[in-house]
Amino acid sequence: MDTNSTLDLMWLIPALPLAGAVLILLLGKRVLGEPKAGYFAATMLGGSFLLTVISFFTVLGEDHHHRSYVVDLFTWMPVGSFQIDFGLLIDPLSITMLLFVTGVGTLIHIYAIGYMHGDPRFTRFFGYLNLFAASMIILVMGSNYLVTFLGWEGVGVCSYLLISFWFERPSAATAGKKAFVTNRVGDFGLMLAMFLILANLGTLNYLSTNELAPTLASGTATAIALLLFVGAMGKSAQMPLHVWLPDAMEGPTPVSALIHAATMVTAGVFLLVRSHGFLEVSGDAGTIVAWVGGLTAFFAATVALTQYDIKRVLAYSTISQLGYLFLAVGVGAYVAAIFHMVTHAFFKALLFLGSGSVIHGMHDEQDMRYMGALRKAMPITAATFIVGWLAIAGVFPLSGFWSKDEILASAWFGDQPILWGVGLITAILTAFYMTRQVVMVFFSPARWDSEEDLSRVATAIAEQEDVRPAQLADDVEEPEASEPEAGVVPAPAHLAGKHPHESPRLMTIPLIVLAALSFLGGILNLPFPGFHQLGHWLEPVIEPVVAGVHEPHPDNFNIGLVFALIALAGALGGIAIGWSTYKRYRGTDDPTIDRLGPLASFFSNAWYFDAFYQRVIAEPGRKLALFLSRDVDGKFIDGLVNGVGKAFGFASVESGKAETGYVRQYALVLLAGTVALITYAIVRAA
């Protein structure tokens, strides 16, 4: 089979999980059920991964400058001589994205079979999961902005369904709505960008827009690039549209891993890399993107210092790492951005699935203050989580060291020394807060082995957070008006008398695979002559403007080695400080919180972004809605409509009084009418 006929079948990559979603949701649990639905969904996405591998080797065998192939399935929107095709673009960039979207996504599907065991909506969950994967694949493979937008909106809808999957919990339902609404703000920017592209270039096809971008005026290119960035900010959770991502933790842990690691949050970075032509023509837009990314990375790292929810720490870590990606895109280091995106997919999926394993073993407890010494109770989870910790911290020779260092070096060589400093400080903070998490969960003294320890921690939490004891002891219910109990808080009912346990193989095998990828992933793009493989692979898509595509210059290599050693020293220093600070942590006083002083509240409340939106947008919006409902609709509109009805009713009643039944009265009215008509006729005639 020749190359064209092979790639013509690549429409099956999105079709398989889409078909899986349709069949699972139609057949339901009566036909499939648990665990068949999970295995079926994983098989369908696994099939997409195998097809992606085939497409990779097929494209790899082509000439360097003939590695882009478009499969037009049908004409989607014919408008006179203009038409938009529903096409799929197969090139090095889309294949790179597809490899980790389908590969890591399949591992998450397998993990979810064990994690979601016993859930009453098990079948529906995997239908949504397959639909999410299909939407992300369409987003990545689209040959034009409109097809990408279809997948873009698809992942938005599916994220709402998955984040609020346990909608019985008000927090989950609210989190799903928050993600949906926040992303619509970003989508407005993306839509405006598409309108501008179509108006100025007459096409939405990627292969044409990047070629035609240099014909644009710099102001127009800047507007398009910044509007695309607004869309990316929403999907990839950059300040100030980041607020939905931490709350997305309300969904099941496999959802957190899928959204935060391998799919949705990377869409914004992918879009900007795919649209790099506009950034290059603009110049100023790239600087804005880099600074927003750098500040977002630093902001999220400071917030992660103060979080206690094991998944929430990782959520802010994701926002921070995404900031690194946008920093790289802004300085033109597109290869470095894709490189870190791939390695981040490995170690962040590992960390999220590892946290889910911890939550599973800790009987659904997510507060790290109740944990400790889990390395003994959960050895596989602990070992793999440690690999993810060292990778994200940037420790040599794990994958995160190579990809993060390339971004920092790109910032320096891109004449952004301040951003290099911000990135370095953020890297040190990352090493610290991840060490804090690992030590609190796996190495500090156990807080779960006796009810006395659990009670002591619960009491300390009540004092720290100034909450009622009944809120912490979930087997105690009191009227809201009662005063807080004095003294000791009982141990949480779901932890008392129970001990952690290792997760089943369906959950630990994906952890082991991801740990291996997190360790070895750096070989994709080593900064040595002849080993810059990812750069050479992506070069046909983003040449000739990309910093870091070609072999590193010897002078830059020597300087980069110095910066790599500085970054490694910072990572090791952050780990050392975190280890010494938390190794004896007992779940009571938190050394970091205590030392931050007034900043502790500022960081723990995420710089008060949510409070600001609540006061400036949510509350006025709620008051406006109440005014419109109660006063405008209830009083004015309903009053007007009801008033008309009452007026006619009154007129009907009053006119009905004329019907007396007396003949003499009717004759009198008839006579009066006759006189009036005669009088009118005489007056008119005169």
Side-chain angles (χ1 to χ4, degrees), residues 548-566:
V549 166
H550 302 284
E551 293 290 353
H553 190 276
D555 293 339
N556 288 351
F557 176 79
N558 294 332
I559 298 172
L561 180 60
V562 174
F563 288 136
L565 293 175
I566 294 174

Side-chain angles (χ1 to χ4, degrees), residues 25 103 120 153 227 238 323 393 405 434 547 624 668:
L25 294 174
E153 293 303 294
L227 287 170
Q238 295 298 283
D405 177 67
M434 287 304 302
L624 177 62
L668 180 62

Side-chain angles (χ1 to χ4, degrees), residues 485-530:
E485 293 182 359
V488 177
V489 179
H494 66 286
L495 293 177
K498 298 179 181 178
H499 285 75
H501 57 83
E502 185 59 275
S503 299
R505 289 184 179 179
L506 275 173
M507 296 172 65
T508 56
I509 290 176
L511 294 179
I512 295 170
V513 175
L514 288 168
L517 292 172
S518 300
F519 192 93
L520 300 172
I523 64 176
L524 291 173
N525 209 52
L526 297 175
F528 308 117

Side-chain angles (χ1 to χ4, degrees), residues 186 188-193 196 222-232:
F188 182 68
L190 177 54
M191 292 174 65
L192 291 178
L196 270 179
T222 299
I224 292 173
L226 291 179
L227 287 170
L228 289 172
F229 182 46
V230 171

Side-chain angles (χ1 to χ4, degrees), residues 202-228:
T203 180
L204 291 176
N205 293 328
Y206 288 124
L207 296 181
S208 300
T209 53
N210 276 322
E211 290 180 0
L212 296 173
T215 65
L216 294 172
S218 119
T220 304
T222 299
I224 292 173
L226 291 179
L227 287 170
L228 289 172

Side-chain angles (χ1 to χ4, degrees), residues 185-199:
V185 176
D187 293 350
F188 182 68
L190 177 54
M191 292 174 65
L192 291 178
M194 289 194 296
F195 297 155
L196 270 179
I197 294 170
L198 188 58

Side-chain angles (χ1 to χ4, degrees), residues 264-417:
M264 181 172 168
V265 295
T266 64
V269 181
F270 163 79
L271 180 69
L272 290 188
V273 173
R274 179 65 84 186
S275 310
H276 66 88
F278 301 111
L279 289 169
E280 295 301 325
V281 174
S282 167
D284 294 337
T287 302
I288 294 173
V289 170
W291 274 97
V292 171
L295 293 176
T296 300
F298 175 75
F299 148 76
T302 61
V303 178
L305 293 172
T306 60
Q307 302 302 306
Y308 292 109
D309 186 309
I310 188 173
K311 287 172 63 177
R312 208 167 181 85
V313 173
L314 298 177
Y316 281 105
S317 172
T318 296
I319 297 174
S320 182
Q321 297 302 306
L322 289 168
Y324 272 113
L325 299 182
F326 282 101
L327 191 161
V329 170
V331 300
Y334 306 118
V335 173
I338 298 299
F339 183 28
H340 194 58
M341 183 192 298
V342 174
T343 61
H344 177 262
F346 297 154
F347 57 68
K348 187 53 64 68
L350 170 61
L351 291 170
F352 266 113
L353 297 186
S355 71
S357 181
V358 169
I359 294 168
H360 182 270
M362 283 291 294
H363 310 284
D364 296 326
E365 180 56 60
Q366 297 184 199
D367 196 321
M368 298 186 298
R369 289 171 289 191
Y370 288 113
M371 300 177 188
L374 291 184
R375 70 187 185 281
K376 299 177 181 177
M378 309 178 68
I380 299 176
T381 300
T384 53
F385 200 98
I386 288 169
V387 173
W389 157 50
L390 296 176
I392 194 174
V395 174
F396 177 86
L398 284 84
S399 60
F401 167 79
W402 304 104
S403 58
K404 190 181 295 184
D405 177 67
E406 188 165 337
I407 292 177
L408 293 176
S410 299
W412 181 269
F413 294 126
D415 295 326
Q416 294 289 349

